[in-house]
Amino acid sequence: MTGLAAFDLTGRTALVTGSSQGIGRTLAEGLAAAGATVIVHGRDETKAAGVASQIEAVTGRRTHSVVFDVTDAAAVDAGIAEVERLIGTPDILVNNAGVQRRAPISEFSDADWDALVQTNLSSVFHLSRRVSGGMIARGSGKIIQIGSVQSQLARPSIAAYSATKGAIVMFTKGLCADLAPHGIQANAIAPGYFDTELTRPLVEDETFSAWVRGRTPAGRWGDTKDLVGALVFLSSAASDFVNGQTLFVDGGMTAVV
């Protein structure tokens, strides 16, 4: 398969965790627009179902929704069983669910550390372990993590968050080592600073926003749509020989000092 046909996701199925809002919602809609049958995931059943209906209306692609706790291994097992009932083992797993907690390290609480590790890292382990079994049996699959520029760059008050995102880079390489012999590709996308519901207070903080624009060679915050092309590439046959990599979508932030 060559040319634009290599990027076509028609006939593929995808699960995007944390896709009832923010970056995840845009990613789910982008996969549907590229031809995939998508499952929207969230914590609120009404919200997730509503987003799925909206994506289906916009793209014309069948879109489902599921609700389960990504931090709980038993809940993940049950949730993926429901996904399998709806669409079988997904061709594409996008581990997008994540949280942020900020505080100086000397004041960082155990509860916030645990929340970051469980949501940003353990969830990726739970989902990847559960879904990879079906992918191995089929002999194909794409697993994509949503990381961050904070896997490479540190800032005050987010040491714990950076630790979880740095771990995502190495976990992705580990998945490649385990799964590449089975025809499965595991890669990560590392966004820079993006304008979302969760970052809205930072966007509206003119001092911080000016720092982002000045620190980013592109001179602006990212739009969530800027991530769709990278995701479609890593989800499609176009990336069948790309494995264990982290693709930075950051306006050039990690390329300059």
Side-chain angles (χ1 to χ4, degrees):
M1 189 180 295
T2 59
L4 292 178
F7 296 86
D8 186 7
L9 299 181
T10 300
R12 304 288 184 94
T13 58
L15 168 64
V16 184
T17 66
S19 50
S20 62
Q21 65 178 7
I23 286 174
R25 175 176 179 159
T26 301
L27 297 180
E29 185 171 331
L31 291 176
T37 297
V38 175
I39 291 190
V40 172
H41 164 268
R43 293 177 293 182
D44 183 301
E45 185 173 356
T46 301
K47 186 175 182 180
V51 170
S53 295
Q54 292 164 13
I55 290 175
E56 185 169 315
V58 169
T59 65
R61 297 289 177 179
R62 186 75 179 96
T63 308
H64 307 272
S65 64
V66 294
V67 176
F68 59 86
D69 182 355
V70 296
T71 70
D72 182 284
V76 168
D77 284 345
I80 297 304
E82 174 63 10
V83 170
E84 290 168 341
R85 185 188 70 79
L86 291 168
I87 62 169
T89 296
D91 295 298
I92 303 155
L93 169 63
V94 183
N95 286 310
N96 167 75
V99 295
Q100 171 66 291
R101 299 287 187 271
R102 294 181 176 87
I105 192 62
S106 61
E107 302 168 15
F108 213 89
S109 71
D110 289 346
D112 282 346
W113 169 262
D114 290 343
L116 284 168
V117 171
Q118 291 300 315
T119 307
N120 295 356
L121 186 57
S122 294
S123 69
V124 177
F125 167 74
H126 296 321
L127 268 295
S128 300
R129 177 179 62 180
R130 179 61 175 79
V131 174
S132 64
M135 290 181 170
I136 290 170
R138 186 179 56 216
S140 67
K142 304 279 187 174
I143 300 177
I144 300 110
Q145 276 64 255
I146 303 303
S148 170
V149 290
Q150 263 75 53
S151 66
Q152 298 294 316
L153 303 175
R155 277 186 57 79
S157 82
I158 60 168
Y161 177 82
S162 298
T164 64
K165 293 303 184 179
I168 286 296
V169 171
M170 285 309 303
F171 186 69
T172 299
K173 293 181 179 182
L175 288 178
C176 168
D178 279 351
L179 300 177
H182 301 284
I184 300 164
Q185 293 81 53
N187 293 288
I189 295 172
Y193 283 84
F194 276 71
D195 184 351
T196 70
E197 296 100 315
L198 295 179
T199 61
R200 177 52 46 183
L202 295 176
V203 175
E204 293 176 350
D205 180 334
E206 185 47 43
T207 299
F208 189 84
S209 203
W211 175 83
V212 168
R213 294 192 300 269
R215 180 65 180 79
T216 305
R220 64 176 177 86
W221 286 77
D223 185 301
T224 55
K225 293 178 181 177
D226 292 326
L227 295 166
V228 172
L231 179 63
V232 170
F233 167 62
L234 292 177
S235 300
S236 71
S239 63
D240 281 352
F241 204 56
V242 178
N243 217 335
Q245 303 303 306
T246 297
L247 175 56
F248 286 84
V249 183
D250 61 1
M253 176 175 278
T254 53
V256 301
V257 294

